Amino acid sequence: MTGRPGRTGRGAGQASAGDLLELVRSRRAVTRGALQQATGLSRATVGQRLDRLFRAGWLREGAGGPVDSPLGGRPSITLEFDDEHAVVLAADLDTRHARAAVLSLSGEILAEHSGTLVVEDGPDTVLGELGRWFAGLLEKTGHDAEAVCGVGLAVPGPVDTETGRVVQPPIMPGWDGYDIRSRLSRALGEHAGTAGVPVLVDNDANLMAYGEQRTAYPDCSAFVLVKVSTGIGAGVVVDGSVFRGIDGGAGDIGHIRVPEGAGALCRCGSYGCLAAVASGGAVARRLAEAGAPAASGSDVRELLAAGHPEAVGLAREAGRRVGDVLATVVTLLNPGVLMIAGDLAGTAFLTGVRELLYQRALPRSTAHLEVVTARLGERAALVGAGAMVVEHLYAPERAEERLRALGV
């Protein structure tokens, strides 16, 4: 789709059933007449292509719309994407914890499970357990295997989205280059009885950003989310799409070198990375050295919630260090929203970010910038993963392939 007013990307008379579905899903054309006008197709051709979508169960008729003609007449029947004809499975892996859910095609979480799942146990074990979780969730919602149209997985490392494999992940030992898609698909087959369900994988910060932007800031054309937990990563959404770079490495700001980290060894093997001095893991280490009960970013979050004085001070200091780096990010991308998420995303850290960000960035770069904390909380990556699957499966060309496979 090119987005040209009044026409699909294929030009007059060339729009497919998938293109019509896209127009309805985006609410740009929701009546037969509006689809004719947007595509240049004849009434009969629009009817034929809509019939394929109805037979697939992807569209339904809604209420009558307003009467357009000044002469009156019957109201136009509106068309709607039927978000009940299938469900999506989504999971969000952290270093020692995971969440999984069944979502509707509109992004509503129908059932959810969270628990301990240690990423260092390796992909075979972790993905096998996810398969069991998904099977239990499907049973809980009353959906069978045939209802699942796809799976979205968020992982705490850089991902080559073409292959679904993580690439040199600093905090995911044993996962580099592993065939996540095949293993998770197999686990779903073993435990839930699914067959050949597509699996999509992306970085957790990317999917958090995608979920938050679509839910709370759909009109923001440049959106940045920074997740500060065990590590530090950023997700960038530009014009409604995740910006990943050429091979999935965009947003890995935790490995930018900072002067304060000169002697700090990062988990990536280098010295001086931002994550080595300002992540939840880094703050936890400093707290543990001072005798506080902290072994991870989640422990720091609990101490911050309890108002632990040293945790508050270190979180603010970490925020200042991250804010210094974000001044460059904001100057480069000029976003409308900068969202802070993760274990450290509280008042102390946000205060530190703002102090250095507004001090170092040019006023022009921050004049229209909102600096906020996450809206969806721990569900952000699940919502983003579900949306990623739906957008992939119902995009025009992919929709056409699936319609042909269904024989409609």
Side-chain angles (χ1 to χ4, degrees), residues 100-104 107-112 379 382-383:
V102 179
L103 295 89
S104 72
E108 178 187 359
I109 293 180
L110 306 176
E112 184 178 4
R379 290 179 161 181
L382 294 177
V383 173

Side-chain angles (χ1 to χ4, degrees), residues 257-313:
R257 306 292 175 83
V258 294
E260 300 91 337
L265 177 63
C266 182
R267 295 185 67 169
C268 72
S270 298
Y271 286 88
C273 294
L274 179 65
V277 294
S279 65
V283 172
R285 286 192 295 274
R286 293 185 63 181
L287 285 170
E289 290 167 0
S296 66
S298 59
D299 293 333
V300 176
R301 179 176 58 191
E302 292 177 5
L303 290 171
L304 289 171
H308 188 284
E310 191 156 5
V312 170

Side-chain angles (χ1 to χ4, degrees), residues 21 32 225 303 360:
L21 179 67
R32 289 169 173 79
L225 177 143
L303 290 171
R360 299 291 171 85

Side-chain angles (χ1 to χ4, degrees), residues 120-336:
E120 290 186 356
D121 287 345
D124 188 62
T125 298
V126 170
L127 298 173
E129 184 64 17
L130 274 184
R132 283 186 281 272
W133 287 14
F134 282 138
L137 288 168
L138 286 171
E139 184 176 353
K140 184 176 180 180
T141 62
H143 288 93
D144 57 26
E146 288 71 27
V148 179
C149 65
V151 184
L153 177 63
V155 298
V159 176
D160 180 346
T161 53
E162 291 297 317
T163 64
R165 300 173 189 243
V166 292
V167 182
Q168 300 177 0
I171 59 176
M172 299 179 71
W175 290 72
D176 185 24
Y178 186 87
D179 190 354
I180 294 174
R181 290 175 176 172
S182 293
R183 177 65 183 104
L184 186 52
S185 180
R186 189 166 73 252
L188 283 167
E190 293 167 358
H191 299 290
T194 63
V197 176
V199 176
L200 302 181
V201 186
D202 203 349
N203 171 262
D204 55 358
N206 284 347
L207 293 179
M208 290 173 70
Y210 194 45
E212 292 278 9
Q213 188 270 340
R214 286 172 61 92
T215 301
Y217 299 94
D219 297 325
C220 180
S221 61
F223 178 96
V224 176
L225 177 143
V226 179
K227 180 187 178 185
V228 187
S229 291
T230 301
I232 300 175
V236 180
V237 180
V238 177
D239 291 335
S241 298
V242 175
F243 178 76
R244 299 183 176 91
I246 59 170
D247 61 5
D252 205 2
I253 65 170
H255 301 287
I256 293 174
R257 306 292 175 83
V258 294
E260 300 91 337
L265 177 63
C266 182
R267 295 185 67 169
C268 72
S270 298
Y271 286 88
C273 294
L274 179 65
V277 294
S279 65
V283 172
R285 286 192 295 274
R286 293 185 63 181
L287 285 170
E289 290 167 0
S296 66
S298 59
D299 293 333
V300 176
R301 179 176 58 191
E302 292 177 5
L303 290 171
L304 289 171
H308 188 284
E310 191 156 5
V312 170
L314 289 174
R316 183 166 178 172
E317 179 185 327
R320 287 171 59 85
R321 289 172 171 170
V322 173
D324 198 7
V325 170
L326 290 179
T328 300
V329 172
V330 166
T331 301
L332 178 65
L333 297 178
N334 189 209

